[in-house]
Amino acid sequence: MPDLDVVFRAPRVVTAAGEVARCIGVAEGRIVAIEPLDADLPAERVIALGEDVVLLPGLVDTHVHVNEPGRTEWEGFASATRAAAAGGITTLIDMPLNSVPPTTNTSALKVKRKAAEGQSWVDVGFWGGALPDNLADLRALHDAGVFGFKCFLLHSGVDEFPHLEPEQLERALRETASFGALMIVHAEDAHAIDRAATPHGESYQDFLRSRPRGAENLAIAQVIESARWTGARVHILHLSSSDALPMIASARRDGVQLTVETCPHYLSFTAEEIPDGATQFKCCPPIREAANRELLWQGLGAGVIDMVVSDHSPCIEELKRFDIGDFGVAWGGIASLQLGLPAVWTEARKRGYALTDVVRWMAESPAQQAGLLHKGRIALGGAADFCVFAPDEAAVVDVANLQHKNPVSAYCGRALAGTVRSTWLNGVQIDIGDEPRGRLLKRGMA
């Protein structure tokens, strides 16, 4: 065994064996020993944890809008990765929009990587984008290390990232299937949304009617059938409609290569509790009713939904239009990067789930989807990425204490269970007062 840099003596650790007492040895950024708690493992530094905290693997968030360059006033790599570290996240994958340029060719990827270089406190990877006119760019982007491709089936919210029509989606899937890439899809049907009520004014119920479940269900059905015809790997982003769960389960039984995520806000909030004019809760697809939320939890518990990721989509405060509270014109997106773990744990524990479940949803499954097999779990040979979490310590969310750039969050004033005491990347505790040590990841990196 090599000389150890750090040893964690932890009465509570989440490993493949469940929540157990273990001594974890780290050398050169990797986990090299997992021994009984009283094992004799000398190291340069020994961290003795108490019974009040649990050593978790660092979380992996595969759905983050960093927005830099181009809309860096909305967020940026420095602020986003500080927020991630404060929330126990050690790896994030950045969406190809809302940056300018969007990550839709290798030149844009170079711009994005240059923007992130030297200012990331956690490890950062990148998704590419699939547009109507960049089919010929996808293979080169994949070879350059993006983790897959994102597309929309309706207007994305920004004009520089146009959506795919159904026949364009099928062509893109045939292309990605030819080299084994993953397509991740914002699945709401453009034509159904066009025919729905127009959102305007302060009424949340009116906004909800403008993004009906049927539009989401129809688009998911289209993605499933296109994946069936093409043999492509597909992933449904931010599932909010529980109606889609049976067809997702059916598609999987048929052998369709399909994974699904949902987000903390769909598992935490309900439409019934959102006040009129409270545009901090606007997101697309929308937060739906309490009964729908409970069915999402059941789908998560049953494994129909694979993972929980943030869809951190921040903006400057002015774009939320708190001055008029109009859901029709406010930017849609919820800033939650720092709060995902306590938000999910708060609701999970009420329903009888354990931290082992939360780790599977928020660390192991996202890492597996992205092919980051050395991350997301505490295992021999794995990355020494950790989150020290106090599950019984409660806190009320104060936006002034959040690390992301703009002080707006739907969770403001909400009491959440669990606080992150410290976050470790490659065996080193993250201190946002130090120089950032996060790496820029490419698909296939060990």
Side-chain angles (χ1 to χ4, degrees):
M1 182 183 300
D3 293 338
L4 299 179
D5 302 318
V6 183
V7 162
F8 291 88
R9 296 193 179 277
R12 303 171 67 185
V13 184
V14 171
T15 71
E19 186 179 309
V20 292
R22 289 290 185 270
C23 190
I24 309 294
V26 174
E28 298 180 350
R30 294 285 178 150
I31 299 168
V32 297
I34 301 177
E35 301 290 342
L37 184 60
D38 58 357
D40 181 20
L41 290 181
E44 292 181 19
R45 185 178 182 189
V46 176
I47 308 296
L49 301 179
E51 293 275 359
D52 62 327
V53 296
V54 185
L55 187 66
L56 309 179
L59 305 187
V60 177
D61 192 337
T62 54
H63 194 152
V64 180
H65 294 270
V66 176
N67 303 332
E68 186 177 7
R71 293 187 175 93
T72 309
E73 70 274 17
W74 295 17
E75 194 62 281
F77 285 100
S79 54
T81 57
R82 286 197 301 266
I89 297 163
T90 52
T91 305
L92 65 81
I93 304 185
D94 174 52
M95 284 291 163
L97 74 165
N98 302 302
S99 58
V100 181
T103 315
T104 55
N105 55 49
T106 56
S107 296
L109 177 62
K110 289 176 183 177
V111 171
K112 181 71 73 79
R113 291 178 64 87
K114 184 177 180 180
E117 190 171 357
Q119 60 167 339
S120 297
W121 269 264
V122 303
D123 288 349
V124 174
F126 305 95
W127 295 108
L131 306 182
D133 62 354
N134 79 329
L135 197 65
D137 294 303
L138 300 186
R139 181 60 185 262
L141 263 175
H142 190 256
D143 291 345
V146 299
F147 284 82
F149 303 95
K150 180 178 186 177
C151 69
F152 281 75
L153 301 186
L154 80 171
H155 194 282
S156 69
V158 292
D159 292 338
E160 66 271 11
F161 200 96
H163 70 280
L164 302 182
E165 294 293 343
E167 64 276 9
Q168 295 169 332
L169 172 66
E170 185 175 342
R171 286 199 294 271
L173 289 179
R174 290 194 185 281
E175 176 67 12
T176 58
S178 71
F179 49 89
L182 175 67
M183 181 72 79
I184 64 176
V185 186
H186 182 125
E188 290 180 283
D189 183 79
H191 304 290
I193 295 293
D194 287 344
R195 287 162 174 77
T198 301
H200 59 84
E202 299 182 350
S203 171
Y204 185 77
Q205 290 303 315
D206 284 351
F207 169 65
L208 193 59
R209 282 188 282 271
S210 77
R211 312 294 290 218
R213 295 190 200 193
E216 198 173 351
N217 303 336
L218 186 60
I220 291 171
Q222 179 65 55
V223 173
I224 287 171
E225 294 314 307
S226 295
R228 191 193 310 273
W229 302 330
T230 61
R233 295 168 56 219
V234 294
H235 176 77
I236 301 298
L237 296 165
H238 44 50
L239 179 71
S240 84
S241 172
S242 62
D243 294 349
L245 293 170
M247 66 172 143
I248 291 167
S250 175
R252 286 210 183 119
R253 287 193 295 270
D254 290 346
V256 176
Q257 298 183 80
L258 172 68
T259 53
V260 180
E261 69 182 45
T262 192
C263 304
H265 40 278
Y266 300 128
L267 301 170
S268 298
F269 303 115
T270 64
E272 293 90 340
E273 68 182 330
I274 296 176
D276 286 349
T279 54
Q280 65 268 32
F281 291 94
K282 180 181 176 180
C283 58
C284 300
I287 295 164
R288 304 192 189 276
E289 301 83 358
N292 181 82
R293 177 184 66 176
E294 296 314 307
L295 290 171
L296 290 178
W297 272 106
Q298 290 176 28
L300 190 60
V304 181
I305 300 172
D306 301 274
M307 65 194 73
V308 182
V309 291
S310 69
D311 189 12
H312 178 70
S313 185
C315 65
I316 57 174
E317 191 169 358
E318 290 81 358
L319 289 179
K320 278 297 188 181
R321 298 309 308 266
F322 294 128
D323 56 333
I324 57 174
D326 190 329
F327 282 96
V329 297
W331 176 260
I334 290 183
S336 62
L337 188 58
Q338 187 170 333
L339 301 170
L341 176 56
V344 172
W345 174 237
T346 297
E347 299 299 321
R349 70 192 306 190
K350 294 176 185 177
R351 294 164 177 82
Y353 295 108
L355 279 171
T356 50
D357 299 307
V358 174
V359 164
R360 184 173 69 255
W361 302 327
M362 302 188 75
E364 186 174 352
S365 290
Q368 185 175 31
Q369 179 217 34
L372 295 168
L373 302 184
H374 61 297
K375 288 180 174 282
R377 56 199 178 102
I378 295 176
L380 286 174
D385 296 352
F386 305 109
C387 166
V388 178
F389 185 61
D392 299 320
E393 189 171 277
V396 175
V397 176
D398 180 350
V399 292
N401 296 329
L402 300 179
Q403 294 291 329
H404 67 251
K405 185 168 286 187
N406 290 285
V408 177
S409 176
Y411 293 91
C412 182
R414 194 174 183 92
L416 299 179
T419 59
V420 174
R421 296 276 184 86
S422 63
T423 304
W424 298 67
L425 179 68
N426 294 316
V428 178
Q429 185 173 348
I430 298 174
D431 181 346
I432 60 174
D434 291 342
E435 291 294 315
R437 295 187 176 90
R439 300 176 301 160
L440 303 186
L441 304 177
K442 294 184 178 181
R443 178 186 46 80
M445 283 181 67

